[in-house]
Amino acid sequence: MNTKFGNTDLVTSPIVYGCMGGAGAFGAQEESDSIDALREAHNAGINFFDTAEAYGAGYSEQLLEKALGNKRQDLVISSKVATPNLAPDDILAACDRSLKNLGTDYIDLYMLHWPNRNVPLEDSIGALKKLKEEGKIRWYGVSNFGSKDMDDALSLGEISVNQVPYHLFFRAIEFEVQPKCEAAGVPIMCYSSLMQGLLAGKYKSLQDFPVDRARTRMFDHRKWEQAVHKEEGAEEAGQHLLDALWKLVDETGMSMEELAVAWLKSRPAVGGVIVGTRNGEQSRGLKKLLEAKAEPAVLQALTEASDPLKSALGSDIDMWGKGRTR
Ligand SMILES: NC(=O)c1ccc[n+]([C@@H]2O[C@H](COP(=O)([O-])OP(=O)(O)OC[C@H]3O[C@@H](n4cnc5c(N)ncnc54)[C@H](OP(=O)(O)O)[C@@H]3O)[C@@H](O)[C@H]2O)c1
């Protein structure tokens, strides 16, 4: 089931374990639950773990070491350098911090977390090349890079990944970024694959979704005062999709998360579907997601159900704000 990841020599599971929630991104979190979640994800058959220095200011990386440090040789670890740290010296220092947090002497895949307009991309990529030559990272890439940013990154040489938001509720990458990645042979790592839990089959209505997560562009900005965007959202189209998903759950006998993940796996250029969990029990459910696949007619029905929302949200690949990516 594991396959070679793009132009790298990494052999990875189709589901990537997302370590952000375990560091408290979704509210109060017991450390014992985060550790169980990581170990059960590994027991379920996942070998690919995605973290970042920004998740809990290094705590997420430390948790990964604590939970699975003794399995290092079995793991493929991706981490990301935070946006303010993209000047070359800052990248080198950030990587050393991450290596220490992770208790390892190499990171398999290292990404620029978001573009930083104040630092020439060439300089940041130069630092990544240096880290690769030194053996501190094995491969590198980018995250949250839109179409023009991808052109710039590709012109500077070998890019092994673009990690972007992609799921049934947010398909902005399909307009330009996904075809570009496909043409260049750059795998996409999809994040928020379960739309922060909305696609985990717990909500009948968008109105029931926790208000602190209702801050993406699909929701009306008045729901959450700290929302980055200031728009009315596209909740009607979102609810239409949620209703269609529940109908397909009934018709197929598949869970909503199986439908969501099967759909992502079927899309072009997808090299890894990142899913986060909060505890051991949720992680045990990942085994089914590793195997999830759906009939072509079901995949087609999913695509059609989310087409109106795709049109309403447009091509800006930023799930939270507008005009920050390009
Ligand atoms: N590059 C970037 O800028 C970026 C940005 C965001 C995320 N990411 C990556 O993507 C990863 C995943 O995205 P995400 O954290 O946004 O969330 P996600 O994977 O879309 O959703 C995670 C949530 O789904 C729910 N869930 C998962 N399995 C479940 C199960 N078996 N039963 C019930 N509920 C279940 C949990 O909700 P509850 O909390 O309600 O239990 C969990 O917190 C992150 O950890 C991170 O690695 C990257």
Side-chain angles (χ1 to χ4, degrees):
M1 192 193 321
N2 293 359
T3 52
K4 196 170 94 62
F5 188 80
N7 67 357
T8 75
D9 60 359
L10 306 171
V11 177
T12 56
S13 47
I15 304 293
V16 185
Y17 184 81
C19 299
M20 187 177 80
F26 295 129
Q29 181 71 20
E30 289 292 332
E31 182 167 304
S32 55
D33 281 335
S34 303
I35 294 205
D36 281 353
L38 285 157
R39 289 186 179 149
E40 291 297 337
H42 183 252
N43 287 340
I46 289 172
N47 76 341
F48 198 177
F49 289 79
D50 179 68
T51 181
E53 64 164 338
Y55 303 159
Y59 178 53
S60 162
E61 294 172 325
Q62 290 162 10
L63 278 173
L64 183 54
E65 194 278 329
K66 215 167 182 174
L68 292 170
N70 60 346
K71 302 272 193 308
R72 177 65 186 99
Q73 67 285 1
D74 297 347
L75 308 183
V76 173
I77 296 177
S78 59
S79 191
K80 315 177 200 82
V81 50
T83 324
N85 296 337
L86 299 201
D89 286 349
D90 295 339
I91 291 187
L92 303 182
C95 184
D96 283 343
R97 278 196 305 276
S98 286
L99 288 170
K100 192 159 176 247
N101 287 333
L102 289 161
T104 183
D105 53 10
Y106 67 97
I107 293 168
D108 296 280
L109 187 57
Y110 198 48
M111 285 165 263
L112 309 179
H113 204 145
W114 278 82
N116 178 336
R117 309 284 169 221
N118 299 318
V119 180
L121 184 60
E122 199 174 350
D123 294 356
S124 304
I125 299 276
L128 295 175
K129 283 182 180 159
K130 184 169 188 306
L131 287 170
K132 189 175 179 205
E133 278 157 24
E134 290 173 355
K136 291 183 177 178
I137 64 174
R138 295 187 61 199
W139 304 94
Y140 59 81
V142 296
S143 174
N144 296 300
F145 269 42
S147 178
K148 289 197 177 61
D149 282 329
M150 270 306 282
D151 285 340
D152 292 346
L154 289 167
S155 74
L156 294 168
E158 178 190 70
I159 296 292
S160 297
V161 66
N162 190 10
Q163 184 178 125
V164 284
Y166 189 39
H167 49 82
L168 281 161
F169 283 94
F170 194 66
R171 293 168 54 195
I173 66 161
E174 291 182 2
F175 290 91
E176 289 184 60
V177 172
Q178 186 176 48
K180 195 156 283 180
C181 287
E182 187 180 21
V186 174
I188 289 165
M189 280 172 92
C190 319
Y191 76 68
S192 297
S193 305
L194 298 183
M195 177 60 169
Q196 302 183 326
L198 184 60
L199 280 162
K202 288 184 277 202
Y203 308 97
K204 291 282 180 194
S205 162
L206 292 192
Q207 309 311 322
D208 302 333
F209 196 50
V211 73
D212 59 342
R213 296 188 205 181
R215 61 193 174 93
T216 59
R217 283 201 284 118
M218 185 175 77
F219 294 96
D220 189 316
H221 76 96
R222 286 164 292 199
K223 288 226 155 90
W224 180 245
E225 58 183 17
Q226 288 146 37
V228 174
H229 74 94
K230 295 292 168 235
E231 291 169 357
E232 289 179 11
E235 294 189 34
E236 203 178 314
Q239 186 64 48
H240 165 79
L241 170 58
L242 190 58
D243 294 342
L245 280 160
W246 279 115
K247 195 160 168 278
L248 283 165
V249 167
D250 283 345
E251 286 170 8
T252 61
M254 291 172 74
S255 68
M256 196 179 289
E257 55 270 35
E258 284 175 283
L259 287 168
V261 165
W263 182 83
L264 278 176
K265 283 181 183 170
S266 76
R267 306 304 286 175
V270 168
V273 175
I274 315 178
V275 177
T277 69
R278 302 284 296 278
N279 52 46
E281 191 188 337
Q282 287 184 357
S283 280
R284 282 188 281 280
L286 295 170
K287 196 166 169 36
K288 279 191 129 182
L289 299 189
L290 279 165
E291 290 152 11
K293 56 177 185 217
E295 296 295 328
V298 173
L299 297 172
Q300 179 66 19
L302 288 164
T303 304
E304 283 171 13
S306 79
D307 278 343
L309 183 59
K310 174 184 169 180
S311 302
L313 293 177
S315 63
D316 189 323
I317 70 149
D318 185 346
M319 203 163 69
W320 294 276
K322 255 188 162 174
R324 300 187 299 178
T325 60
R326 50 172 212 132

